[in-house]
Amino acid sequence: MYILSSKQVVQEKINHIKKGFSAYVETAELANIIKKECQILQLDVYEDATELGYWFIPNKER
């Protein structure tokens, strides 16, 4: 079984966002970490919190 650490998951999701792709996580814990990381890196994203999880969608209006 392959287990990813939270740090690895966040880094992969941030890399997706940097490339212009949306990223999805299921937990609020990971969503909060991604949100903080986006603020630090000044990535312009739209966050959509649903009942099933959290989407981070890059804003391409730059």
Side-chain angles (χ1 to χ4, degrees), residues 1-48:
M1 176 181 253
Y2 183 66
I3 300 174
L4 291 173
S5 73
S6 296
K7 214 176 213 181
Q8 287 175 307
V9 171
V10 168
Q11 192 57 49
E12 287 180 13
K13 301 299 181 177
I14 291 294
N15 286 338
H16 277 245
I17 294 168
K18 283 180 178 179
K19 292 177 183 176
F21 297 105
S22 298
Y24 171 80
V25 293
E26 293 179 350
T27 67
E29 175 188 359
L30 289 176
N32 287 332
I33 296 169
I34 291 173
K35 186 188 296 189
K36 288 178 186 175
E37 200 62 31
C38 285
Q39 289 173 347
I40 290 169
L41 297 172
Q42 298 180 348
L43 298 174
D44 187 14
V45 297
Y46 170 74
E47 180 186 356
D48 186 16

